[in-house]
Amino acid sequence: MNNQVKNLFTSESVSEGHPDKICDRISDAILDACLEKDEYSRTAVECLITRNKLIISGEITTNAHIDYAKIAKNVVKDIGYDDEKKGLDYKTMEVETYISKQSSDIALGVDSNKEKDIGAGDQGIMFGYATDETENYMPLAISIAHKLVRVATNKRKEGLLTFARPDMKSQVTIDYTSDKSKVNAVVFSMQHDEEIEIERLRDIVKREVIVPVLDSFDIDYKDAEYYINPTGRFTIGGPKADTGLTGRKLIVDTYGGYAPHGGGAFSGKDATKVDRSACYMARYAAKNIVAAKLAKKCLIQVSYAIGISDPVSINVNTFGTETISHDKILAMLLDKNIFDFTPSGIIKNFSLFKPSFKYQDLASYGHFGRPDLDLPYEKLDKVELLKKY
């Protein structure tokens, strides 16, 4: 008997049909609509959904005229909730809206009609992380977990999984016991119609979703355990089964628990809110540092005071994997000619006020390491500069 203690790590993901993700996407769709008409909109939108009712609340200052209910129903329709049997119906859902303007006290330190001299929208701590473990510089477990639900959702929308409904969850456990990591376990739960037999569903999901996704990664999974719809039946899903809230899947949105998260949610917030935009900047810096082979892993923490442009602090941890001195890496992060961590610098560098940047694309399947999206903060355009520094 092998009594070796295993070194295991697990991350999870959820599909766009998960109740929390419905709320995230509606919040970001409203942000997109505001920026399309007024690129200096200030938004902090929160949604709650339960049964067939959606409540939209928050603070918005914009010159745009927005039909919040119409945006929400279009999002729900696109996700695939068109029948109350599935857990939600965009045609009959009730929408209540409670929107007010941004606090004038917050606006004192933040508001600007130009991109310069924007103060941080709040105090807080933000993190960015990168590792050379995968091609997209993300931890392996969360990369696989995201791809599982993304592939399953795409197949559902393409009509290749006719029994599938929008609500899905995945969970992946990686075994790091030996030098070569391998998959230890995969958990996948898929909402489904009443007619499909559970064993047939399990066979199709494993064959059409799980195995092809695992094959796309350079990893051993021959001894993996599979838990597909482990309760047996999952017909009741979406908001009919669970209440959803904006910003309740922070670890799914970031690094799957492999790196810290400061606690600030992303969705529904414009780029003056540094708990969103500074996380993008910290990821960008960490990714370029690792891609330049200055470290195999890089974790950056940055903090702000409300109304102040420059960060209060910047910290870097390379976990002993650095190939140059820690002080030199920190000096690069503090050099504004390389990485400008001011809100205006972040916004300008990534064009975060422009309507061409679609925030709702980020609401599901993670904000980082997205091979399906061309994200400005995922670019490796600082690598050569860092090598020459």
Side-chain angles (χ1 to χ4, degrees):
M1 179 180 292
N2 184 0
N3 293 320
Q4 182 183 25
V5 177
K6 293 183 177 180
N7 178 19
L8 305 177
F9 189 87
T10 302
S11 294
E12 70 159 348
S13 183
V14 298
S15 72
E16 62 194 53
H18 187 281
D20 294 332
K21 283 296 160 196
I22 298 172
C23 292
D24 283 344
R25 184 165 167 189
I26 292 171
S27 296
D28 275 336
I30 290 171
L31 169 58
D32 286 338
C34 290
L35 292 176
E36 186 176 351
K37 302 295 184 182
D38 176 7
E39 66 179 70
Y40 298 109
S41 298
R42 299 286 183 267
T43 72
V45 183
E46 315 287 343
C47 294
L48 178 150
I49 195 163
T50 183
R51 300 286 175 168
N52 219 39
K53 173 172 280 192
L54 170 71
I55 297 173
I56 303 172
S57 63
E59 297 77 46
I60 297 179
T61 301
T62 184
N63 293 320
H65 298 284
I66 305 299
D67 187 336
Y68 301 112
K70 183 178 180 180
I71 291 171
K73 291 189 175 189
N74 284 339
V75 166
V76 172
K77 179 182 179 181
D78 183 70
I79 290 172
Y81 282 116
D82 53 10
D83 189 329
E84 288 192 39
K85 290 181 181 179
K86 296 180 180 179
L88 185 62
D89 186 349
Y90 76 93
K91 300 183 294 294
T92 61
M93 64 183 284
E94 301 176 50
V95 181
E96 295 182 15
T97 304
Y98 303 93
I99 298 292
S100 58
K101 286 189 175 183
Q102 183 185 56
S103 162
S104 58
D105 290 346
I106 294 175
L108 282 173
V110 179
D111 253 348
S112 174
N113 290 323
K114 300 179 181 179
E115 291 186 2
K116 62 182 181 180
D117 301 325
I118 298 174
D122 202 352
Q123 71 174 50
I125 56 173
M126 299 85 203
F127 291 91
Y129 179 74
T131 172
D132 66 358
E133 185 178 11
T134 61
E135 290 182 358
N136 60 1
Y137 297 90
M138 288 289 287
L140 184 57
I142 190 66
S143 295
I144 299 176
H146 280 325
K147 191 168 184 178
L148 285 169
V149 285
R150 193 171 71 245
V151 167
T153 296
N154 289 341
K155 286 181 177 290
R156 171 181 66 83
K157 289 188 168 184
E158 292 166 5
L160 300 177
L161 297 174
T162 56
F163 56 86
R165 291 178 175 176
D167 198 355
M168 307 178 196
K169 300 180 78 170
S170 67
Q171 185 173 285
V172 176
T173 301
I174 302 298
D175 183 353
Y176 288 103
T177 307
S178 65
D179 292 338
K180 192 168 179 62
S181 56
K182 59 183 179 179
V183 178
N184 185 77
V186 176
V187 182
F188 197 97
S189 295
M190 174 184 284
Q191 185 192 10
H192 58 88
D193 63 27
E194 291 84 355
E195 288 74 26
I196 185 77
E197 295 180 357
I198 185 62
E199 290 306 323
R200 181 166 178 265
L201 178 146
R202 286 169 174 162
D203 176 68
I204 293 173
V205 168
K206 182 178 179 181
R207 175 166 36 88
E208 300 295 329
V209 178
I210 296 176
V211 169
V213 168
L214 295 180
D215 280 338
S216 70
F217 290 84
D218 182 22
I219 189 167
D220 177 8
Y221 64 89
K222 66 179 184 295
D223 296 324
E225 297 179 344
Y226 301 95
Y227 304 90
I228 302 170
N229 282 40
T231 61
R233 188 176 71 172
F234 183 16
T235 58
I236 302 172
K240 190 174 182 179
D242 290 299
T243 296
L245 288 169
T246 298
R248 200 160 61 175
K249 285 291 178 284
L250 305 183
I251 302 306
V252 171
D253 286 342
T254 53
Y255 305 100
Y258 207 88
H261 180 66
F266 295 158
S267 291
K269 297 177 181 178
D270 71 87
T272 66
K273 279 72 172 177
V274 284
D275 42 5
R276 180 174 206 162
S277 56
C279 285
Y280 294 173
M281 187 65 189
R283 160 65 178 176
Y284 172 70
K287 184 177 180 181
N288 275 270
I289 286 169
V290 174
K293 300 188 182 303
L294 306 184
K296 295 176 70 65
K297 298 179 182 180
C298 183
L299 175 68
I300 295 169
Q301 186 208 56
V302 59
S303 69
Y304 293 84
I306 187 170
I308 306 300
S309 296
D310 289 314
V312 172
S313 67
I314 297 178
N315 177 269
V316 62
N317 184 354
T318 49
F319 307 94
T321 68
E322 66 274 8
T323 58
I324 63 172
S325 73
H326 177 275
D327 288 347
K328 185 165 283 191
I329 294 175
L330 184 57
M332 295 175 184
L333 291 171
L334 296 173
D335 188 338
K336 277 190 179 181
N337 293 317
I338 303 177
F339 299 114
D340 187 348
F341 279 89
T342 64
S344 57
I346 298 169
I347 290 164
K348 182 178 180 180
N349 193 31
F350 301 142
S351 300
L352 298 181
F353 275 171
K354 305 302 180 184
S356 57
F357 188 96
K358 296 300 182 185
Y359 286 93
Q360 64 175 306
D361 290 343
L362 301 167
S364 301
Y365 317 119
H367 290 244
F368 309 116
R370 294 289 300 271
D372 56 321
L373 298 175
D374 183 23
L375 299 173
Y377 53 82
E378 289 290 320
K379 294 187 183 300
L380 297 175
D381 52 3
K382 297 291 186 182
V383 170
E384 294 306 316
L385 179 61
L386 294 176
K387 288 180 178 179
K388 295 175 182 177
Y389 189 84

